[in-house]
Amino acid sequence: MDATTLAWAGVAATIIGGVLSGYVSRTDAFDRLLWHRKRVQFAGTTWESTWTEVDKNGNSVNLSETFIFKKQIGNRIAGMIEMSQYPDRIWYVEGDYNERFLRLFWTPSKESSDRFFLDYGVYFFERGGDGTFTGYATGFDAEQNRVIVVEHHLQLRRIN
């Protein structure tokens, strides 16, 4: 091979190598393979969500609910929500998680003994460095008869 052919082969290899390394550096799958990180498993876990609301008298009230995740396929997760304040209500929750953001939609569950309550909405959480989530719940509050937005904090309580 002459010097010109070798030079062109070097240029082509450099360009191909640069494009491939740029692509590989931006893919999560390669990062997980390289660092042996496992995808977060929500199925079989129980989480507690806490928030503060103002009651009718103007007092701050700390509230909580329990998220019980039952299924996960890839980044899609599903489960249920229970609240001690409403023992006859159960919410169905489903959504997705992409290693940073957790997005969930809630609706009244068919398993709930109070099957006719109106409560629909969405959670949008961001994962913190300690594994907890902070974000917002936006949904229809039937008691206030309006859409509300509340900041929530989500923390793992147990692995079932």
Side-chain angles (χ1 to χ4, degrees):
M1 252 191 240
D2 65 353
T4 305
T5 305
L6 286 175
W8 281 111
V11 167
T14 302
I15 292 171
I16 291 170
V19 169
L20 285 175
S21 66
Y23 174 75
V24 166
S25 70
R26 297 187 185 276
T27 61
D28 291 336
F30 182 77
D31 189 38
R32 269 195 295 283
L33 177 67
L34 183 64
W35 294 103
H36 302 290
R37 289 187 321 186
K38 292 171 55 176
R39 181 179 298 274
V40 172
Q41 290 298 314
F42 281 91
T45 61
T46 301
W47 296 71
E48 181 182 25
S49 180
T50 56
W51 70 99
T52 302
E53 286 186 12
V54 177
D55 68 9
K56 296 175 185 176
N57 300 326
N59 301 320
S60 291
V61 178
N62 295 325
L63 299 170
S64 69
E65 60 193 359
T66 303
F67 289 59
I68 303 164
F69 293 109
K70 299 196 179 241
K71 291 192 310 186
Q72 180 171 354
I73 300 173
N75 68 338
R76 302 287 303 162
I77 56 179
M80 56 190 262
I81 299 173
E82 297 175 341
M83 289 180 69
S84 59
Q85 297 92 330
Y86 302 105
D88 58 338
R89 296 180 181 177
I90 298 173
W91 291 262
Y92 175 74
V93 64
E94 67 177 332
D96 56 60
Y97 177 62
N98 71 357
E99 303 289 331
R100 180 176 177 190
F101 298 110
L102 174 62
R103 181 183 59 171
L104 301 168
F105 299 92
W106 81 78
T107 59
S109 172
K110 294 177 183 176
E111 298 174 14
S112 181
S113 58
D114 178 1
R115 296 188 66 185
F116 300 107
F117 71 99
L118 294 175
D119 197 347
Y120 297 86
V122 63
Y123 296 97
F124 189 84
F125 293 107
E126 182 176 19
R127 184 176 181 155
D130 60 355
T132 63
F133 290 87
T134 301
Y136 293 91
T138 303
F140 180 74
D141 185 336
E143 291 177 7
Q144 297 183 30
N145 199 30
R146 66 184 180 96
V147 174
I148 62 168
V149 177
V150 180
E151 184 175 9
H152 280 244
H153 303 280
L154 189 62
Q155 185 168 11
L156 180 64
R157 288 297 176 214
R158 88 174 160 258
I159 300 172
N160 301 335

